[in-house]
């Protein structure tokens, strides 16, 4: 996993609530057996019409947001299925940070496993970012270590679980970390009740 | 002070606890299917790791499998995914119920059926509807593929202790009101994020009276209320369901297990971080009209009008959903015509569901212009339904009778609703494009779906069944 700490970019504003994982990556693209190559399919049915023509108005298709690595969205981002193809597609497309007032649990978890930083900010602040991001190209600077977001002359601070913060900054692989607890796991297995 | 079942089961599975870290939680059962596992198996291989407990891992094929003309799979990429699962299970020693195997079926249907699902277990699967297994008093939740790999490697997961939510359903369900209507009503009333950050326990008299299959329908959709998991305390109904199942403890061990299972039920004085309550009298047969499961209403009602919402963003969401669904504000639900009916999915594809749907047919025929398919949740559900002659009832009425799998619930196989057409579906998600690009999904119970198939539009199943409302 790539470490992540300081991100300077412009905001891509996706002003929608309840963006579900079916929207992020539609099921027809779930059949690959690799982790990579999903970026081209992200938000497919919002980006392209039935004839696979670009829908120009959709925010990801507007040239002014090209190269952005920070996605800002509204409440309950990533609800629906557990498919990790959703964060894979978002990351592969180029986003490293997602800012929203709230995330669905499984998606939120999946972000940390892939080096994506999900930031929760209060609704008012997110709406500010969305609004400004839609009007102009809004530069944004994120500092994970300091837990700050700077944009439009303001600084916002955010909370993050210290464990996941460390994992993201160091780009650690969680499985190798867990192997350090092997003995405890074995002990647990010995004493635990199993009716199988 | 008493404890609720969530706290009890969680506590019993902590392998390592430390301030500033999530808990390291032991996983008792890992269910695997073809879509979310290939990258995890590949991860094991790349890192030269073993699968720690193949004996606590069980695999099946469901998402991609065709529901007719078995075993031919026309889509080469789907076939590759299915073949990959078979190869991986062989390589890592995982028991697999593959296509044509008597134990095959939708992962959340077969777990309970085989007795793999038991009270007090921690159960995970790379699938959000793992919450279904909570019906037995297990902590069961969906995980992503990285976590699938983590469980394969270590049989554990790092999990922050969630908050607890009690969803109480008081009173008695009215005639024609099913478990599906209960959960749809809960989500409509409290919203699709009421459970975010929580594990929910469903309590109350209405819940206690439900059969295990009905309880599974409720817990199945707890994820649609945003909850990490949803569960119901085990009782005699739970125990009797499990008795004699293939992987359930047998003989004396079963009696011993029973004592343990019952001890897990929430104490009478248990408390929760939050409680919400709904009374059964508020619940009638439900139909969703929008593009998320909270956008639903009773069959006697109409599509809402924007004046019903005070919040501007809710009004926008309404108009966006209605545009996608091609519906007008204020349209009576009963006037909505459908072209497709899907009876199936891990929400509603068990014997109870098929019987309830079949009971509505009463000699009727599927309306002209409607395509209706019935997809049993598992091979063994299909066998039993055929033994009871249900399949003939469906076939005679003009329904298609299929092999088991996820099918039109997410339309990864060939069972797709074409763009612009409308489907009455017993599944769990009405997201845009869920049943096919441009498709329009209305979530309903199995009897409501069967009644709509025959009428060609939604009808109040209570009228069809000739009992005064
Ligand atoms: S039936 Fe639908 S919701 Fe259930 S596991 Fe299959 S695809 Fe998922």
């Amino acid at each position: 996993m790539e470490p992540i700490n300081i991100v300077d970019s412009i905001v891509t504003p996706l002003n929608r609530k309840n963006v579900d994982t079916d929207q992020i990556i539609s099921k027809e693209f779930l059949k690959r057996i690799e982790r990579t190559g999903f970026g081209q399919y992200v938000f497919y049915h919002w980006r392209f019409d039935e004839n696979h023509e670009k829908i120009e108005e959709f925010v990801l298709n507007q040239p002014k947001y090209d190269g952005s690595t920070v996605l800002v969205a509204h409440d309950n981002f990533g609800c629906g299925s557990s498919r990790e193809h959703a964060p894979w597609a978002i990351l592969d497309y180029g986003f490293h940070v997602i800012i929203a007032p709230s995330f669905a649990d499984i998606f939120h978890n999946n972000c940390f496993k892939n080096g994506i930083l999900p930031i929760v900010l209060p609704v008012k602040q997110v709406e500010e970012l969305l609004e400004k991001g839609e009007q102009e190209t809004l530069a944004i600077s994120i500092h994970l270590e300091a837990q700050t977001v700077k944009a439009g002359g303001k600084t916002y601070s955010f909370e993050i679980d210290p464990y996941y913060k460390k994992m993201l900054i160091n780009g650690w692989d969680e499985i190798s970390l867990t192997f350090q607890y092997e003995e405890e796991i074995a002990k647990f297995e010995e004493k635990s009740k199993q009716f199988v | 002070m008493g404890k609720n079942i969530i706290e009890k089961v969680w506590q019993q599975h902590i392998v390592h606890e430390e301030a500033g870290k999530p808990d390291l939680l032991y996983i008792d059962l890992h269910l695997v299917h073809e879509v979310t596992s290939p990258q995890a198996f590949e991860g094991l291989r790349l890192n030269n790791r073993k699968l720690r407990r193949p004996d606590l891992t069980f695999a099946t094929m469901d998402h991609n499998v065709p529901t007719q003309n078995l075993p031919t799979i026309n889509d080469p990429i789907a076939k590759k995914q299915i073949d990959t699962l078979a190869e991986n299970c062989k390589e890592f020693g995982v028991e697999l119920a593959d296509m044509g195997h008597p134990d095959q079926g939708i992962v959340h249907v077969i777990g309970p059926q085989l007795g793999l699902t038991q009270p007090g277990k921690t159960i995970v699967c790379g699938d959000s509807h793992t919450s279904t297994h909570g019906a037995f008093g297990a902590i069961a939740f969906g995980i992503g593929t990285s976590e699938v790999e983590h469980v394969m490697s270590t049989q554990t997961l790092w999990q922050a202790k969630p908050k607890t939510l009690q969803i109480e359903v008081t009173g008695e369900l009215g005639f024609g009101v099913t478990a599906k209507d209960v959960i749809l009503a809960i989500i409509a009333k409290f919203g699709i994020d009421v459970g975010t950050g929580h594990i929910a326990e469903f309590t109350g008299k209405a819940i206690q009276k439900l059969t295990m299959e009905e309880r599974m329908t409720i817990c199945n959709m707890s994820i649609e209320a945003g909850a990490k998991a949803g569960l119901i305390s085990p009782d005699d109904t739970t125990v009797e369901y499990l008795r004699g199942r293939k992987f359930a403890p047998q003989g004396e061990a079963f009696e011993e297990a029973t004592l343990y299972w019952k001890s897990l039920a929430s104490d009478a004085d248990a408390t929760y971080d939050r409680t919400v309550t709904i009374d059964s009298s508020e619940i009638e047969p439900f139909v969703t009209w929008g593009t998320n499961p909270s956008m639903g209403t009773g069959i006697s009602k109409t599509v809402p009008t924007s004046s019903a919402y005070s919040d501007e963003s809710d009004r926008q969401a309404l108009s966006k959903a209605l545009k996608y669904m091609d519906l007008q504000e204020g349209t009576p639900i009963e006037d909505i015509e459908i072209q497709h009916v899907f009876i199936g999915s891990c929400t509603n594809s068990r014997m109870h569901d098929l019987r309830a749907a079949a009971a509505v047919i009463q000699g009727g025929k599927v309306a002209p212009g409607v395509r209706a398919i019935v997809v049993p949740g598992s091979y063994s559900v299909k066998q039993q339904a055929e033994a009871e002659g249900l399949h003939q009832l469906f076939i005679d009425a003009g329904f298609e009778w299929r092999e088991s799998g996820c099918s039109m619930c997410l339309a990864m196989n060939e069972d797709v609703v074409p763009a612009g057409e409308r489907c009455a579906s017993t599944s769990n998600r009405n997201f845009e494009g869920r049943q096919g690009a441009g498709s329009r999904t209305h979530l309903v119970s199995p009897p409501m779906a069967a009644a709509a198939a025959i009428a060609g539009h939604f009808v109040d199943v209570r009228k069809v069944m000739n009992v005064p409302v």
Side-chain angles (χ1 to χ4, degrees):
Chain A
M1 193 169 91
E2 293 291 315
I4 176 168
N5 190 11
I6 296 169
V7 176
D8 289 303
S9 176
I10 54 165
V11 162
T12 301
L14 181 65
N15 193 359
R16 300 192 192 210
K17 281 185 184 176
N18 305 318
V19 172
D20 60 71
T21 50
D22 280 69
Q23 260 37 262
I24 300 173
I25 181 96
S26 188
K27 72 255 167 176
E28 60 265 42
F29 310 120
L30 300 183
K31 291 173 187 163
R32 300 166 63 89
I33 55 169
E34 299 84 21
R35 266 175 191 264
T36 50
F38 289 98
Q40 51 188 315
Y41 308 123
V42 81
F43 298 116
Y44 194 86
H45 297 292
W46 287 347
R47 280 162 64 209
F48 302 100
D49 65 17
E50 307 87 76
N51 306 317
H52 307 280
E53 301 287 341
K54 255 191 191 179
I55 300 171
E56 301 294 341
E57 319 81 85
F58 184 61
V59 53
L60 264 62
N61 287 336
Q62 297 176 23
K64 66 173 175 176
Y65 300 116
D66 280 355
S68 161
T69 59
V70 179
L71 183 68
V72 181
H74 218 298
D75 264 319
N76 201 25
F77 189 86
C79 61
S81 101
S82 65
R83 56 186 73 157
E84 200 161 316
H85 313 69
W88 293 339
I90 285 176
L91 185 68
D92 194 50
Y93 186 84
F95 293 114
H96 294 267
V97 180
I98 308 171
I99 302 176
S102 62
F103 290 87
D105 292 335
I106 305 177
F107 180 86
H108 193 239
N109 248 332
N110 282 339
C111 285
F112 294 118
K113 318 287 173 185
N114 290 285
I116 299 173
L117 169 60
I119 297 178
V120 177
L121 288 180
V123 180
K124 281 248 147 52
Q125 299 180 1
V126 171
E127 285 176 348
E128 237 170 65
L129 294 175
L130 285 169
E131 205 173 301
K132 283 186 196 158
E134 278 168 357
Q135 286 160 1
E136 52 192 283
T137 28
L138 178 65
I140 189 162
S141 174
I142 288 136
H143 198 312
L144 174 54
E145 181 67 56
Q147 298 181 206
T148 56
V149 173
K150 289 185 190 167
K154 288 194 182 171
T155 303
Y156 313 91
S157 58
F158 62 91
E159 294 298 318
I160 182 166
D161 183 296
Y163 171 78
Y164 286 121
K165 177 178 174 180
K166 221 195 282 176
M167 245 177 59
L168 285 177
I169 290 180
N170 295 294
W172 277 336
D173 161 32
E174 199 177 34
I175 296 176
S176 350
L177 290 183
T178 309
F179 276 132
Q180 299 168 10
Y181 298 87
E182 179 121 49
E183 225 171 276
E184 275 176 86
I185 297 171
K187 240 191 256 161
F188 183 93
E189 284 176 329
E190 231 162 81
K191 72 164 192 4
S192 75
K193 233 187 176 105
Q194 294 272 351
F195 301 101
V196 245
Chain B
M1 205 177 62
K3 278 193 173 164
N4 66 50
I5 180 170
I6 305 161
E7 296 161 331
K8 293 187 200 181
V9 177
W10 190 277
Q11 196 59 38
Q12 285 177 11
H13 286 83
I14 297 175
V15 173
H16 180 89
E17 206 171 5
E18 189 181 323
K21 270 191 187 170
D23 294 337
L24 187 62
L25 212 62
Y26 197 78
I27 302 302
D28 296 324
L29 175 64
H30 185 192
L31 299 167
V32 172
H33 66 80
E34 78 274 17
V35 178
T36 53
S37 66
Q39 295 86 353
F41 280 115
E42 185 62 17
L44 291 185
R45 261 190 299 269
L46 288 175
N47 293 292
N48 234 330
R49 286 170 182 153
K50 284 207 307 264
L51 199 157
R52 185 180 176 90
R53 294 293 299 266
D55 58 324
L56 302 183
T57 314
F58 192 94
T60 191
M61 297 170 173
D62 52 8
H63 283 65
N64 267 328
V65 299
T67 56
Q68 51 190 355
N69 308 325
L70 286 184
T72 317
I73 305 179
N74 295 325
D75 178 348
I77 317 177
K79 180 160 185 340
K80 173 125 194 255
Q81 207 170 51
I82 281 176
D83 292 344
T84 303
L85 179 63
E87 285 158 24
N88 282 330
C89 286
K90 204 161 158 217
E91 180 179 342
F92 290 95
V94 174
E95 190 163 348
L96 168 70
D98 59 359
M99 282 193 302
H101 189 286
D103 291 341
Q104 181 273 344
I106 303 173
V107 62
H108 311 309
V109 175
I110 63 162
Q113 214 165 46
L114 294 171
L116 287 164
T117 305
Q118 292 166 21
K121 279 192 180 182
T122 44
I123 302 175
V124 297
C125 173
D127 192 283
S128 58
H129 291 98
T130 308
S131 58
T132 314
H133 307 263
F136 290 78
I139 290 188
F141 54 92
I143 56 178
T145 299
S146 296
E147 289 180 312
V148 168
E149 188 181 336
H150 194 279
V151 175
M152 285 176 170
S153 315
T154 68
Q155 204 58 34
T156 62
L157 278 177
W158 294 97
Q159 292 288 315
K161 189 174 280 154
K163 292 194 219 115
T164 58
L165 168 69
Q166 180 187 28
I167 302 179
E168 191 186 20
V169 188
T170 53
E172 266 182 56
L173 299 184
F175 174 78
V177 178
T178 67
K180 180 65 161 287
D181 305 307
V182 172
I183 188 65
L184 286 173
I186 288 171
I187 299 165
K189 181 166 179 177
F190 303 111
I192 55 170
D193 51 4
V194 61
T196 305
H198 292 73
I199 292 182
E201 180 181 0
F202 296 91
T203 66
K205 197 160 143 225
I207 300 291
Q208 285 159 11
K209 285 205 155 173
L210 298 177
T211 64
M212 285 317 293
E213 298 196 344
E214 294 171 304
R215 292 181 190 184
M216 288 185 234
T217 299
I218 303 241
C219 290
N220 173 272
M221 289 191 72
S222 29
I223 181 76
E224 261 61 62
K228 179 179 188 72
L231 50 69
I232 293 170
S233 282
D235 57 12
D236 289 337
T237 308
T238 322
V239 170
E240 287 320 309
Y241 179 95
L242 283 168
R243 193 184 294 278
R245 304 246 162 210
K246 184 170 173 185
F247 291 98
Q250 310 289 333
E252 236 172 79
F254 187 82
E255 302 313 321
E256 196 193 323
T258 300
L259 291 178
Y260 165 66
W261 292 340
K262 287 199 172 167
S263 74
L264 297 169
S266 290
D267 300 332
D269 57 344
T271 56
Y272 302 80
D273 292 307
R274 221 182 133 198
T275 295
V276 295
T277 304
I278 186 167
D279 189 75
S280 298
S281 61
E282 294 173 45
I283 308 174
E284 60 169 334
F286 236 71
V287 180
T288 65
W289 46 261
T291 52
N292 76 47
S294 73
M295 296 172 154
T297 189
I299 180 68
S300 66
K301 308 260 170 32
T302 59
V303 174
T305 53
S306 56
S307 57
Y309 299 94
S310 53
D311 191 88
E312 175 54 27
S313 70
D314 288 338
R315 280 198 291 270
Q316 275 174 17
L318 173 76
S319 95
K320 190 122 60 65
L322 293 188
K323 186 166 171 233
Y324 181 85
M325 295 296 289
D326 190 29
L327 287 173
Q328 306 300 321
E329 294 185 13
T331 303
I333 299 291
E334 287 201 283
D335 289 357
I336 301 174
E337 294 186 355
I338 46 116
Q339 293 79 43
H340 299 263
V341 172
F342 170 58
I343 298 178
S345 91
C346 56
T347 315
N348 282 129
S349 63
R350 301 174 179 85
M351 284 311 299
H352 181 90
D353 304 310
L354 301 190
R355 289 188 194 120
V360 173
I361 296 175
Q362 299 181 344
K365 292 265 182 273
V366 171
V370 173
R371 177 175 77 138
I373 70 171
V374 185
V375 184
S378 71
Y379 184 84
S380 84
V381 167
K382 180 167 183 265
Q383 297 293 104
Q384 184 168 352
E386 290 179 357
E388 290 182 16
L390 294 183
H391 67 307
Q392 210 52 54
L393 280 177
F394 284 119
I395 292 167
D396 290 346
F399 288 81
E400 294 174 35
W401 179 251
R402 297 293 190 83
E403 304 289 338
S404 69
C406 293
S407 177
M408 208 180 258
C409 172
L410 91 164
M412 258 185 102
N413 68 358
E414 287 154 358
D415 306 333
V416 176
V417 176
E421 300 197 5
R422 225 176 260 295
C423 181
S425 178
T426 66
S427 54
N428 43 52
R429 287 191 175 135
N430 51 349
F431 295 152
E432 288 180 19
R434 172 78 178 182
Q435 297 190 289
S439 64
R440 300 180 176 128
T441 302
H442 298 271
L443 303 176
V444 286
S445 72
M448 283 288 286
I454 288 159
H457 57 88
F458 290 110
V459 281
D460 190 333
V461 70
R462 296 170 295 188
K463 293 182 201 160
V464 177
M465 294 174 90
N466 280 330
V467 166
V469 181

